[in-house]
Amino acid sequence: NAYQPFEIGSSFIYPPTALLVFAPLQKTKHPIEIWTAINIISLLLSVLLIFKLSPNQIGQPAMKYLAVGTIFYAPFWEQLTIGQVNSLVLLGIALFILGVSDPRYNWIGDFGLAAAISIKISPILLVAYPLLRSDWQRLIRISLYLLFLATLSIFLFGLPTWFDFLKILPEVTRGYPGMNNQTIDTLVKWLAGSDIEWIRPLFSTFALVFWIVALVHSRKHVNATAALNFGIVTMTISSSLIWYHHHVFLLAPIVYLLLSTQKESDVGYAILFLTLSGTALINSNRVFEYLLNIPPITAILGYLMIYLASALNLFYIPDKNQKLSVNPIEV
């Protein structure tokens, strides 16, 4: 039984549909090696998909720097070491962004999001995008994929497995999305010197509400990739617990911001500065935390910088595909 006896921190907490990924590994002779390879391939494919969506083309030297930066992204190595699912989930999210941005990949993109939700529930937040845009066909496809994966898991692992998962679900999801945010609380305690409990739900609620505002804004400012990358940042930092390995999800907005931002304005320079600085702070966090024995302040400041960069990119960088609504002379 994947869920009984249950104990937070040591038991299996993912939906039964995630067993479709993990159960076959038990039948292999080298499950750890295979899982490691799946994670590395998923990460690299995710970065390549985001690169494909970039409106700007970069030369081979820049591609080399991007590849090296991806390989040495510290949260990826931590999640790889402890066996997390985040790289696979990131690939599903990247496929969804591809499908939204390019109608030719609608079906595979919607399957990517359904698979990501089936493995780790939190990507369900991204369903808000087609919901608020009244994209009913996409919502139907995602729902059908979820139903198919759930039915397949019931057929292979039995309905009682789902009952066991539903029993532990309240404990697993306690505090999400807005009840508690313990990572931002670390920064508040460091700054204020005391625990201010109302800051936690306020931060998570603000992140989620601002994401909804961004989606409403994107009805006119049609930049699906920018809107969904901002959603990935929101999904990551609005969680009640932001573990260091969760920062793997930020690779998608980081790569997109570095590739798509033009340096033709002060806003463009600000976005690049925030993205590079935030990435550097996240990568250096474990050095400060373990060697200097300080709280994860650098990681917190890093993801806040990337959050701000993603917001600036969505609201202040115009979509090149959007038609001008004012006189060109006024521009």
Side-chain angles (χ1 to χ4, degrees), residues 51-183:
F51 170 72
K52 178 179 175 63
L53 295 169
S54 169
N56 301 327
Q57 295 299 318
I58 60 176
Q60 288 188 351
M63 277 296 293
K64 292 178 181 178
Y65 287 123
L66 180 63
V68 171
T70 300
I71 292 171
F72 287 98
Y73 188 58
F76 166 69
W77 286 102
E78 174 156 308
Q79 73 102 33
L80 190 66
T81 306
I82 60 180
Q84 292 293 318
V85 299
N86 299 329
S87 293
L88 205 60
V89 175
L90 178 62
L91 177 58
I93 293 173
L95 285 170
F96 177 65
I97 298 176
L98 176 66
V100 170
S101 303
D102 190 337
R104 293 177 300 173
Y105 302 101
N106 269 335
W107 285 88
I108 190 172
D110 295 340
F111 177 78
L113 182 61
I117 296 171
S118 298
I119 298 173
K120 193 180 185 81
I121 300 173
S122 55
I124 199 171
L125 175 68
L126 300 181
V127 173
Y129 184 83
L131 181 64
L132 291 178
R133 296 185 63 82
S134 301
D135 191 347
W136 308 120
Q137 290 185 344
R138 190 175 302 280
L139 289 170
I140 290 173
R141 287 194 297 266
I142 294 171
S143 300
L144 289 175
Y145 281 135
L146 287 171
L147 180 62
F148 167 75
L149 292 171
T151 303
L152 186 59
S153 70
I154 292 173
F155 175 77
L156 293 175
F157 309 115
L159 192 58
T161 306
W162 274 95
F163 292 143
D164 287 332
F165 172 71
L166 293 176
K167 288 179 183 177
I168 69 165
L169 190 59
E171 188 171 355
V172 171
T173 58
R174 186 173 53 198
Y176 189 84
M179 297 292 291
N180 188 6
N181 194 297
Q182 295 185 16
T183 307

Side-chain angles (χ1 to χ4, degrees), residues 264-285:
E264 300 166 350
S265 65
D266 292 339
V267 175
Y269 278 110
I271 290 172
L272 289 173
F273 171 78
L274 289 168
T275 304
L276 289 171
S277 300
T279 307
L281 286 170
I282 290 173
N283 268 335
S284 62
N285 175 75

